[in-house]
Amino acid sequence: MANKPTYEELEQKVKKLEQAESEHKHAEDELQKRKATIQSVLDAAPVGICIMENRVYKRANRYWCEHFGYPEEDLIGRTTEFLYESHEEYERVGKELYKDLLKKGVAFALARLKRSDGEFRDVDLIAKL
């Protein structure tokens, strides 16, 4: 039969758990502050900024949404293909961006993207890993 822990041992374990909980709460608070800072930068930026993964929207800032007419919630989870005049143009821009992105960590491409009203706008795309 195993020995029962002493009162002091239990008290130490409780203190360790309380300290870990406090550190976790502090880390959570710091994460929330950083998220708020990033959100304020995105909202204040005078250029369109989108966060993507494999050409799928994860976030889009206010400027981009206002200038292209799409609410952010309509973009999240969608690929960018619907913005292009054709599938071929979508592929061309993707190839241009990704060849330099993988080599250099940053890439540039010119594209024509469709606004929600159907009008096309010439844009400079900059991608960063």
Side-chain angles (χ1 to χ4, degrees):
M1 187 159 130
N3 291 338
K4 288 186 178 181
T6 66
Y7 177 79
E8 289 79 22
E9 289 171 331
L10 289 174
E11 195 172 58
Q12 278 232 307
K13 285 183 180 184
V14 167
K15 284 182 183 179
K16 283 182 181 178
L17 286 172
E18 287 172 345
Q19 182 179 358
E21 185 178 338
S22 174
E23 289 170 1
H24 179 76
K25 172 85 172 96
H26 179 71
E28 214 30 67
D29 290 346
E30 284 300 311
L31 179 61
Q32 291 307 317
K33 286 178 189 175
R34 288 179 184 192
K35 283 182 176 182
T37 298
I38 290 169
Q39 186 62 48
S40 67
V41 169
L42 286 174
D43 287 344
V47 296
I49 299 173
C50 299
I51 298 171
M52 311 242 180
E53 188 175 315
N54 297 319
R55 300 181 85 182
V56 173
Y57 283 98
K58 299 294 180 192
R59 300 280 310 273
N61 74 341
R62 183 178 304 146
Y63 184 97
W64 195 97
C65 292
E66 288 174 356
H67 284 79
F68 281 88
Y70 300 101
E72 185 181 25
E73 56 272 8
D74 290 354
L75 300 172
I76 306 306
R78 291 181 75 180
T79 70
T80 59
E81 188 168 0
F82 75 98
L83 299 171
Y84 291 89
E85 293 180 274
S86 67
H87 178 73
E88 292 74 26
E89 180 64 3
Y90 169 75
E91 290 293 323
R92 180 198 67 78
V93 171
K95 285 177 187 171
E96 190 172 331
L97 282 174
Y98 281 96
K99 74 177 168 75
D100 284 342
L101 191 58
L102 297 175
K103 288 179 190 172
K104 301 175 185 174
V106 65
F108 306 89
L110 298 176
R112 287 176 46 83
L113 300 181
K114 184 171 40 176
R115 293 171 28 98
S116 65
D117 63 7
E119 178 187 322
F120 281 86
R121 180 171 283 176
D122 294 327
V123 297
D124 295 323
L125 299 176
I126 303 169
K128 174 94 174 86
L129 283 179

